[in-house]
Amino acid sequence: GAVVSQHPSWVICKSGTSVKIECRSLDFQATTMFWYRQFPKQSLMLMATSNEGSKATYEQGVEKDKFLINHASLTLSTLTVTSAHPEDSSFYICSAREGRGREGYTFGSGTRLTVV
Amino acid sequence: GDSVTQMEGPVTLSEEAFLTINCTYTATGYPSLFWYVQYPGEGLQLLLKATKADDKGSNKGFEATYRKETTSFHLEKGSVQVSDSAVYFCALRDGGATNKLIFGTGTLLAVQP
């Protein structure tokens, strides 16, 4: 079945540095990529939606200059947390959808980011 | 806006016990409803889904029925196994252009032998 590989699975970085998270669709073309974050005991909150070759659409309250999303190819999307601070520590998950169909969301295994 | 509320965990059961994880939703229109499962170290996987009222989704012994009158989609399994230990997420798909998924908080299920 469809697989999305997300890396790294965990990362610790110093405050003020930037961190890049990658999601690759291994056996299908990810036309649309969704990026979520999850705080402990809270829902997965959608941060942004990106279509290949287009600018990402950010949800209300998400800083687009802090969370840079690139979806330059049909198999790769990246999320860069710029100038990270401890409050950015969270669990980040990507989800890819193939084509324009209404089914078939494939999730990455998530990235645990800790900013110290 | 649309939202999903599911029971807090963790839920701890003995093997072969009956499982219910409650999920209710708020939505305009008629959303599709989903249960996803996340095993340790893995991504979320679709467990089952229902696209209209009174539909029953089922998979691997799990069932959930789309109840429009109570806006609910409770997950049930008659006899859980240790291998069912995971986090379970209830979700709805909104009817907007992006068809994004809206999730509940997730419920950790721990099944003891």
Side-chain angles (χ1 to χ4, degrees):
Chain A
V3 175
V4 170
S5 176
Q6 183 171 348
H7 292 281
S9 56
W10 62 270
V11 58
I12 301 172
C13 71
K14 291 184 177 180
S15 187
T17 62
S18 295
V19 174
K20 180 182 286 187
I21 301 169
E22 288 190 354
C23 276
R24 293 181 182 273
S25 56
L26 298 185
D27 49 5
F28 68 101
Q29 293 183 328
T31 304
T32 305
M33 191 72 79
F34 303 89
W35 285 94
Y36 295 85
R37 66 186 298 184
Q38 184 181 31
F39 292 107
K41 298 186 179 181
Q42 295 188 23
S43 299
L44 276 74
M45 301 300 296
L46 181 66
M47 299 174 65
T49 303
S50 70
N51 292 300
E52 183 265 336
S54 302
K55 288 185 177 180
T57 300
Y58 289 80
E59 296 296 301
Q60 191 173 10
V62 178
E63 299 175 61
K64 60 182 67 177
D65 293 331
K66 167 171 270 298
F67 300 100
L68 301 179
I69 292 172
N70 184 285
H71 192 175
S73 79
L74 285 171
T75 58
L76 174 64
S77 179
T78 61
L79 167 68
T80 302
V81 183
T82 63
S83 187
H85 288 92
E87 57 265 30
D88 299 324
S89 299
S90 188
F91 192 63
Y92 294 86
I93 304 176
C94 64
S95 172
R97 189 175 70 197
E98 180 177 18
R100 303 236 179 250
R102 296 173 63 83
E103 306 295 338
Y105 300 85
T106 304
F107 287 81
S109 55
T111 298
R112 173 73 60 191
L113 170 63
T114 301
V115 184
V116 298
Chain B
D2 295 354
S3 66
V4 175
T5 302
Q6 64 180 103
M7 64 188 289
E8 285 192 27
V11 174
T12 303
L13 296 173
S14 297
E15 208 165 21
E16 298 184 2
F18 184 86
L19 168 71
T20 299
I21 301 178
N22 291 336
C23 171
T24 57
Y25 67 90
T26 302
T28 54
Y30 304 97
S32 294
L33 302 174
F34 304 83
W35 277 101
Y36 281 84
V37 58
Q38 185 176 31
Y39 299 102
E42 299 183 17
L44 275 73
Q45 302 172 24
L46 178 64
L47 180 60
L48 53 84
K49 65 181 181 183
T51 58
K52 61 183 187 297
D54 299 326
D55 267 3
K56 177 186 284 188
S58 61
N59 185 25
K60 300 180 181 180
F62 291 88
E63 293 183 341
T65 301
Y66 191 144
R67 300 286 188 199
K68 183 184 171 193
E69 63 275 14
T70 54
T71 61
S72 65
F73 193 54
H74 304 321
L75 182 68
E76 297 182 335
K77 186 174 185 182
S79 176
V80 294
Q81 305 299 313
V82 172
S83 57
D84 293 325
S85 298
V87 180
Y88 293 82
F89 292 90
C90 185
L92 66 81
R93 182 179 61 215
D94 81 348
T98 60
N99 288 314
K100 61 188 179 186
L101 291 173
I102 297 170
F103 287 90
T105 54
T107 301
L108 173 63
L109 170 65
V111 180
Q112 298 174 338

